[in-house]
Amino acid sequence: MEYLATRSRGWLTKVPAITATFWVIKVLSTTIGETFADYLSVNVGLGPLVTTAVMIAVLAAALTVQFRTRKYTPWIYWLCVVLVSIVGTQITDFFTDTLGVSLYVSTAVFSVILAVVFMIWYRQERTLAITSIDTPRREGFYWAAILTTFALGTAAGDLATEALSLGFRNGTLIFGGLILLTWIGNRAGASTVLTFWIAYVLTRPLGASLGDLLTQSKDFGGLDLGASATSLLFFAVILVLVGREQVLANRHGVAAKGDGPLGGRRPDYAWAAAGVAAVVIAGFGLSALRPGAGSTDAQTVTVAQPDGATQAAAQLVHPTTRLGDLTGFARIAGDMQAMVARNDLAGGRTRAKDLEVRWDDAEAGLKPRDPASWHRLDSEIDAVLTSLRAGQPSPADCSANLRALTTTLNQFDGV
């Protein structure tokens, strides 16, 4: 009897069936993961290193619970996916932003790591099928592969965005189209295992592009929902779909290897379509309530001079720069210069937070247009933030970095 019970438990899978609902939740979870990581790092002010450390600790705790379960439990499984999304994204961002590793290099490195994980997994288990995740060792390989796919998807997606200047609109269409081609290939007879893992990697840049499309300002081609509204919308849809999964798992038990979706295939398609429809309708509906900020060809920004006087400088930034309209950033820099000139470093630090958040929020809209100019400005903004947030900030250093930033902003017309 003990042998039969052990064998029976071995047929219980620890991951969900691959269904339409699975893919919808996966894409939305990817966006939630990235948005929440940025919120902790920039808005809360934890910074990338602390955010990564905290998220790794939380992920370790969630995976401990996941490994101790004996069957697929929707709420803990999808919590782990969201946390893996955060950690995978933070790992890539750490290599790129903190260590300065080229996206070409990081994409190649994560590709090799994923290939090694698959090679060892296959040599040990003779299968890479998701339907075979029914032992602790296979589950360990599975989560190692999932983490690497998120890191690889982040690096490859960012590389495509920068190198090809896709932007989030084209990115959404292109990555979505690639996933569709993968599905067509599977239907035409391509390996189910191969097409699954290709699609899984592609969902990361698709989710990021979709999230940016919803959150970015209309001036940059987005729908201007903002990160908070987009996160709440996606989180609500995820809660409904995962809640349904949990109800079905409680009612029907766990699907055996290779079984279709719990509750039937047609209801699964219907719920997945409803989730997509909710995102589309709510996204465009809320966007219609947010008129574009618009811009004028010339705006006046007050810039502080070293002696504390102020000077009105017309047409500081022209909206036809490659990066777009940078007037808002120039205005914040002007405010900070005025505060530093009055020796109001505390006020400058507060305004610096506005600059940091606004610059981070606009990255997806600005960076693909002119990566070289974006990196130049990003470096100068980092210098301003560092000088203002030093233990004993030097007014001279703060003023010099702000002048350099303002000069660069003023020079971008036609760059």
Side-chain angles (χ1 to χ4, degrees):
M1 291 296 293
E2 182 178 353
Y3 167 78
L4 291 176
T6 301
R7 188 177 178 211
S8 175
R9 283 198 301 269
W11 283 90
L12 297 180
T13 182
K14 296 291 293 294
V15 299
I18 307 307
T19 65
T21 303
F22 171 91
W23 290 114
V24 171
I25 300 174
K26 169 62 171 64
V27 172
L28 299 183
S29 298
T30 296
T31 305
I32 288 286
E34 182 176 23
T35 303
F36 188 66
D38 288 342
Y39 178 79
L40 291 179
S41 179
V42 179
N43 296 68
V44 177
L46 296 182
L49 292 180
V50 175
T51 299
T52 301
V54 170
M55 288 298 100
I56 288 176
V58 176
L59 173 60
L63 284 176
T64 299
V65 176
Q66 167 68 16
F67 272 88
R68 288 182 176 180
T69 61
R70 295 184 177 181
K71 61 183 181 180
Y72 167 55
T73 306
W75 74 269
I76 184 60
Y77 172 84
W78 287 110
L79 174 61
C80 289
V81 170
V82 170
L83 292 172
V84 168
S85 171
I86 296 173
V87 172
T89 300
Q90 290 295 104
I91 289 173
T92 300
D93 290 345
F94 173 75
F95 278 103
T96 303
D97 299 333
T98 303
L99 300 183
V101 177
S102 165
L103 285 170
Y104 290 94
V105 174
S106 57
T107 299
V109 168
F110 290 129
S111 297
V112 171
I113 293 174
L114 183 60
V116 170
V117 171
F118 282 150
M119 181 182 67
I120 297 174
W121 182 358
Y122 187 79
R123 289 186 64 180
Q124 292 290 326
E125 303 295 335
R126 312 308 297 177
T127 180
L128 301 177
I130 190 174
T131 53
S132 69
I133 311 302
D134 51 14
T135 68
R137 187 165 68 178
R138 289 180 177 182
E139 188 175 10
F141 284 125
Y142 172 78
W143 287 109
I146 293 300
L147 177 60
T148 310
T149 61
F150 273 106
L152 173 60
T154 301
D158 289 349
L159 175 61
T161 299
E162 286 195 37
L164 304 180
S165 298
L166 295 181
F168 46 81
R169 283 180 175 268
N170 291 335
T172 301
L173 296 174
I174 291 173
F175 291 119
L178 290 174
I179 292 176
L180 178 61
L181 288 176
T182 303
W183 177 80
I184 293 174
N186 175 256
R187 300 293 291 180
S191 167
T192 300
V193 174
L194 176 62
T195 53
F196 167 79
W197 286 111
I198 291 175
Y200 205 96
V201 172
L202 290 172
T203 54
R204 170 58 185 80
L206 172 62
S209 297
L210 178 62
D212 291 335
L213 176 63
L214 293 172
T215 60
Q216 288 295 298
S217 167
K218 291 182 179 181
D219 293 336
F220 302 142
L223 297 182
D224 199 20
L225 266 64
S228 298
T230 301
S231 297
L232 288 174
L233 172 61
F234 281 21
F235 186 63
V237 175
I238 290 173
L239 277 182
V240 171
L241 295 180
V242 173
R244 175 180 179 269
E245 287 276 299
Q246 189 65 63
V247 169
L248 290 174
N250 294 340
R251 180 181 303 167
H252 299 290
V254 178
K257 291 182 179 180
D259 278 4
L262 295 172
R265 197 166 297 279
R266 285 187 179 180
D268 172 67
Y269 284 137
W271 280 90
V276 173
V279 170
V280 172
I281 294 173
F284 281 99
L286 292 173
S287 176
L289 300 176
R290 292 173 176 261
S295 7
T296 58
D297 285 344
Q299 295 195 35
T300 299
V301 180
T302 299
V303 180
Q305 302 303 310
D307 60 0
T310 59
Q311 168 182 314
Q315 205 170 351
L316 271 175
V317 179
H318 197 281
T320 57
T321 62
R322 286 189 201 170
L323 286 173
D325 186 359
L326 304 179
T327 308
F329 302 106
R331 182 178 295 109
I332 297 176
D335 291 344
M336 294 167 65
Q337 279 188 282
M339 293 173 181
V340 170
R342 296 194 304 267
N343 205 32
D344 181 12
L345 299 184
R349 281 194 296 272
T350 301
R351 196 71 171 116
K353 184 69 174 181
D354 297 333
L355 176 63
E356 181 183 29
V357 172
R358 181 164 183 164
W359 181 250
D360 183 75
D361 288 344
E363 177 179 348
L366 297 176
K367 193 174 182 180
R369 300 180 178 188
D370 188 352
S373 296
W374 183 91
H375 281 292
R376 178 181 172 187
L377 274 173
D378 187 58
S379 176
E380 294 190 1
I381 289 174
D382 283 342
V384 169
L385 298 176
T386 300
S387 60
L388 278 167
R389 292 170 177 172
Q392 294 182 335
S394 164
D397 290 344
C398 295
S399 181
N401 288 329
L402 282 165
R403 282 199 304 273
L405 172 61
T406 302
T407 300
T408 300
L409 286 169
N410 296 343
Q411 290 174 346
F412 269 121
D413 185 16
V415 172

